Amino acid sequence: MSRFWSSIVHSLTPYVPGEQPKLPNLIKLNTNENPYGPSPRVVEALKAEAADSLRLYPDPNADRLKTAVAAYYRVTPQHVFVGNGSDEVLAHTFLSLLKHSRPLLFPDITYSFFPAYCRLYEVTYETVPLTDDFQIDPEAYLRPNGGIIFPNPNAPTGRLLPLKAIEGLLEQNTESVVVVDEAYVDFGGESAIALVNSHPHLLVIQTLSKSRSLAGLRVGFAIGDSALIEALERVKNSFNSYPLDRFAIAGAVMALEDQAYFEQTRNAIIRTRGRLVEDLCALDFEVLPSAANFIFVRHPGWDAGELSQRLRELSIIVRHFRQPRIDQYLRITIGTDEECTALVKALGKILGLRCDI
Ligand SMILES: Cc1ncc(COP(=O)(O)O)c(C=O)c1O
């Protein structure tokens, strides 16, 4: 605390990201990163970018990247906004499209950056409870609101809302913007980008951090009607002209080009997820259906906080949220087959079971 702080700083509760410990031999299943490196073609593109041209500012509009995103999703570049990670795209969205006199609505259990942005930008909000089995109930959002936002699949539950249900919500809620945060959609969902042309109040946000394995490069984007994109551009250009550096633009363009590598690594993660779910069920864990690169689990006989601590003692970190309704759950990122096998063995040991895997 300091008398030099602006008044808003006193009222902030900043988002706390999952830890990034520097310990050797750690199995890190806590921040939903991709266990495989980025495409080798991306690495080559980044090396080529380390050149004299770094003395020049990057393209403030990142036109090459917008064109690549537009071509990939069959929209026009005027439908695309790009930012420094989808967190930055989300932040601009809260300020430019979701701050109104009526409250913003989002699930009670969801990405914990949402309430942090609301506090930063003084957006009034109400949370809408997930059902008892942690699903989003679109009917519950049919009330006066200044906007609706949810991740799909939701985080940290991993549960997917089918595209039909999103379409139904868009058709019944036409007076405010509906934002779908699709950070994890490539691992099992169907993107709502298909609905953008017919629904001018839909904004879909995606990231290259998860399925393209580029969390360290910081690239996210939004796709929506050109009027929504213009609002985001106005805020961006009042904040930072160059949110994407030359590396981010070059690497992201190549990541979208290397479709074969994307398919290969994404499919490997989906296969490993299937195996991990089976192995954990065999250890009596309850596992929510997941369309993401993580699973949300609990064990009826064990306290989640204690399980997380015991795993840590065995050099495996997973995410435990000390939050009402979910404090008995663990969120586990899908790692490589080897990492997941080590996790199952460690859990078998902790639970005191013999484990033949
Ligand atoms: C639901 C959700 N949205 C957005 C993000 C932000 O991703 P990034 O800023 O890396 O693009 C995350 C990161 O974990 C997430 O879980």
Side-chain angles (χ1 to χ4, degrees):
M1 273 229 214
S2 157
R3 68 196 166 91
F4 301 118
W5 286 9
S6 328
S7 61
I8 182 121
V9 178
H10 292 275
S11 67
L12 297 180
T13 317
Y15 172 76
V16 182
E19 57 185 318
Q20 299 287 356
K22 304 281 181 293
L23 307 173
N25 302 324
L26 190 71
I27 297 186
K28 192 173 173 300
L29 305 176
N30 68 327
T31 46
N32 300 341
E33 287 139 332
N34 196 310
Y36 304 106
S39 149
R41 288 174 60 194
V42 168
V43 176
E44 283 310 306
L46 295 180
K47 282 184 190 155
E49 211 52 41
D52 177 66
S53 54
L54 282 179
R55 70 193 174 77
L56 302 172
Y57 283 108
D59 173 6
N61 292 316
D63 280 334
R64 257 179 81 207
L65 178 56
K66 284 185 186 170
T67 304
V69 172
Y72 191 90
Y73 290 101
R74 296 170 201 279
V75 293
T76 74
Q78 290 69 43
H79 287 92
V80 181
F81 177 80
V82 294
N84 188 280
S86 60
D87 280 340
E88 186 184 79
V89 178
L90 283 164
H92 291 339
T93 302
F94 273 68
L95 187 59
S96 62
L97 298 168
L98 302 177
K99 182 176 161 81
H100 297 286
S101 53
R102 287 179 168 169
L104 171 67
L105 304 180
F106 53 80
D108 61 339
I109 295 163
T110 197
Y111 188 32
S112 32
F113 232 132
F114 293 172
Y117 292 133
C118 286
R119 286 185 290 267
L120 177 61
Y121 292 127
E122 301 181 308
V123 177
T124 53
Y125 71 94
E126 285 172 10
T127 58
V128 181
L130 296 178
T131 60
D132 288 344
D133 56 354
F134 294 121
Q135 302 205 59
I136 289 175
D137 172 12
E139 297 284 318
Y141 289 78
L142 301 180
R143 52 165 135 134
N145 68 75
I148 296 173
I149 184 167
F150 55 86
N152 196 42
N154 194 12
T157 63
R159 296 214 69 160
L160 185 76
L161 185 64
L163 198 56
K164 267 271 154 244
I166 295 177
E167 196 171 10
L169 176 63
L170 287 165
E171 258 135 47
Q172 293 184 76
N173 183 92
T174 53
E175 297 307 307
S176 68
V177 172
V178 176
V179 180
V180 184
D181 172 359
E182 293 188 338
Y184 302 100
V185 76
D186 289 331
F187 299 105
E190 212 182 331
S191 176
I193 292 172
L195 303 174
V196 157
N197 279 332
S198 47
H199 298 86
H201 59 310
L202 167 64
L203 188 77
V204 180
I205 297 179
Q206 289 200 9
T207 177
L208 274 71
S209 297
K210 314 293 179 178
S211 58
R212 311 265 171 189
S213 197
L214 287 174
L217 203 64
R218 313 305 301 128
V219 181
F221 59 88
I223 295 184
D225 187 76
S226 55
L228 304 187
I229 300 303
E230 189 187 339
L232 290 167
E233 296 288 356
R234 288 172 72 102
V235 167
K236 173 247 169 189
N237 288 320
S238 307
F239 176 76
N240 179 2
S241 305
Y242 310 104
L244 292 185
D245 62 41
R246 288 175 174 273
F247 291 100
I249 294 170
V253 168
M254 188 52 81
L256 290 167
E257 242 172 62
D258 196 348
Q259 182 68 9
Y261 186 83
F262 164 72
E263 297 282 358
Q264 183 195 323
T265 47
R266 181 254 304 261
N267 292 342
I269 291 166
I270 293 172
R271 276 196 302 275
T272 305
R273 180 179 69 202
R275 271 197 289 274
L276 179 60
V277 169
E278 274 177 26
D279 290 345
L280 292 186
C281 288
L283 292 176
D284 291 333
F285 277 89
E286 295 166 17
V287 184
L288 290 190
S290 170
N293 69 337
F294 58 84
I295 52 174
F296 206 48
V297 308
R298 75 169 166 185
H299 195 283
W302 280 79
D303 175 70
E306 187 176 350
L307 270 184
S308 154
Q309 186 49 39
R310 298 244 185 146
L311 281 172
R312 179 177 292 268
E313 287 157 14
L314 298 172
S315 295
I316 299 177
I317 49 174
V318 298
R319 191 93 192 251
H320 175 233
F321 299 89
R322 290 186 196 285
Q323 197 184 315
R325 284 189 83 186
I326 56 168
D327 65 343
Q328 284 312 312
Y329 282 82
L330 295 176
R331 192 196 66 190
I332 303 174
T333 303
I334 308 300
T336 58
D337 275 333
E338 294 69 35
E339 288 173 327
C340 291
T341 301
L343 169 75
V344 172
K345 274 195 178 157
L347 285 169
K349 197 166 157 189
I350 295 166
L351 269 49
L353 298 176
R354 199 172 57 83
C355 190
D356 294 326
I357 293 164

